[in-house]
Amino acid sequence: MTGKQAKAAVTGSSSLPVPLYEHVKRQIAEAILVGELAPGTVLPGEVALATRYGVAVGTIRRALADLTADGMLVRRRKTGTVVTGRAPQHSLRFFFQYFRLHGEDGGLQRSVPEVLSVAIRPAGAEEAALFSEPAGEPLLCLDRIRRIGGVPVMHSQIKLLARRVPDFPREPARVPALLYLHLLDVYGIRVAAVREKLSAELADAKDRRLLGLRSPSAVLAIHEEAYDQTGALALLSEHRATTAHHRYVNEIR
């Protein structure tokens, strides 16, 4: 996202604008988490960063201060601002990487998402009640699958209120991979809290088809409610994952 896009996002459709420094902070944090900024990398000076992101130096200074407090950066005399390599793996403050399947060796797995379909449909009575809306309110529904090393490990259905995300891409290939970051950047929707209910269930026909499972097999079912900065339900999701070679880790710091 360019500096102009960041500024436009701040005045998007949300009634509670997201501070500009927050957009810059999350762009830098994303670059660290996905490895574009490796541990030991020395960042450019504040003036150069301000020019790159199209914002004021004070905005850059606030973003760097927050990332330093979070342990992702460190300030060193005569060197500058350095990437530490201690990026948190489970913090909602970096929700664009909010995915917690680990390998059998305990290492966090990086997955590749693929959106299978995008559709608008009316909310059922139970869904509408959770969103505090009348039955029939239009929902934007995404079907998505995640792969690790090309192997499918999780499939999800994600539901949002359609009116909160006008002009959301309808073509699956155009849906951003980092959905939560897209919601923040474009719509000012910040995921501030997540509530999950976990259960072990037998794989159904859809699980077997999408995850390549035999019958009978077990899946981990995760029913998720994600709330925004106002306390309103922003996303309602169901994830179904195979744990044959992965473990779901929920860590609180």
Side-chain angles (χ1 to χ4, degrees):
M1 183 172 66
T2 65
K4 288 183 179 179
Q5 288 173 322
K7 291 176 180 177
V10 174
T11 57
S13 61
S14 172
S15 60
L16 292 178
V18 177
L20 186 55
Y21 78 84
E22 189 73 31
H23 290 277
V24 176
K25 171 185 170 182
R26 292 186 183 278
Q27 289 180 77
I28 296 173
E30 177 191 350
I32 293 172
L33 287 170
V34 302
E36 293 177 4
L37 293 174
T41 299
V42 180
L43 297 186
E46 292 177 347
V47 173
L49 286 173
T51 300
R52 175 184 300 180
Y53 289 102
V55 298
V57 171
T59 300
I60 289 293
R61 189 169 296 135
R62 174 63 187 274
L64 297 181
D66 278 12
L67 291 170
T68 300
D70 289 329
M72 301 184 79
L73 301 175
V74 64
R75 303 292 185 102
R76 294 178 181 167
R77 291 187 61 187
K78 299 182 179 180
T79 301
T81 303
V82 182
V83 177
T84 64
R86 296 195 298 273
Q89 296 177 342
H90 302 82
S91 174
L92 272 177
R93 284 175 288 182
F94 306 102
F95 51 69
F96 43 78
Q97 289 290 339
Y98 188 67
F99 176 57
R100 299 178 306 207
L101 280 182
H102 290 232
E104 294 177 318
D105 62 355
L108 181 67
Q109 301 294 296
R110 297 298 183 193
S111 65
V112 178
E114 177 191 355
V115 175
L116 304 177
S117 66
V118 182
I120 301 288
R121 65 165 176 80
E126 184 176 348
E127 295 167 332
L130 289 171
F131 279 107
S132 299
E133 296 288 341
E137 178 69 23
L139 296 181
L140 176 77
C141 302
L142 308 176
D143 278 308
R144 187 170 70 176
I145 193 166
R146 287 185 177 272
R147 295 183 176 87
I148 295 176
V151 178
V153 296
M154 175 184 282
H155 71 89
S156 308
Q157 184 175 75
I158 303 166
K159 291 164 277 192
L160 310 89
L161 290 175
R163 72 167 186 272
R164 295 196 68 183
V165 288
D167 302 320
F168 191 92
R170 298 297 181 88
E171 298 81 13
R174 294 185 56 235
V175 176
L178 301 177
L179 178 60
Y180 283 13
L181 183 62
H182 179 72
L183 294 178
L184 173 67
D185 284 344
V186 177
Y187 304 107
I189 300 173
R190 180 207 305 272
V191 174
V194 172
R195 182 185 184 190
E196 297 175 332
K197 298 177 182 178
L198 280 67
S199 60
E201 300 180 9
L202 282 175
D204 59 22
K206 185 176 181 180
D207 297 327
R208 295 193 296 270
R209 175 172 57 86
L210 293 178
L211 301 179
L213 301 176
R214 296 179 179 179
S215 180
S217 295
V219 293
L220 176 67
I222 307 167
H223 300 270
E224 176 184 308
E225 299 171 10
Y227 296 87
D228 67 14
Q229 64 269 41
T230 72
L233 181 65
L235 298 97
L236 186 62
S237 308
E238 181 178 4
H239 312 286
R240 297 176 69 84
T242 171
T243 58
H245 302 289
H246 301 86
R247 300 293 180 266
Y248 184 81
V249 178
N250 190 350
E251 178 178 324
I252 298 174
R253 300 187 180 187

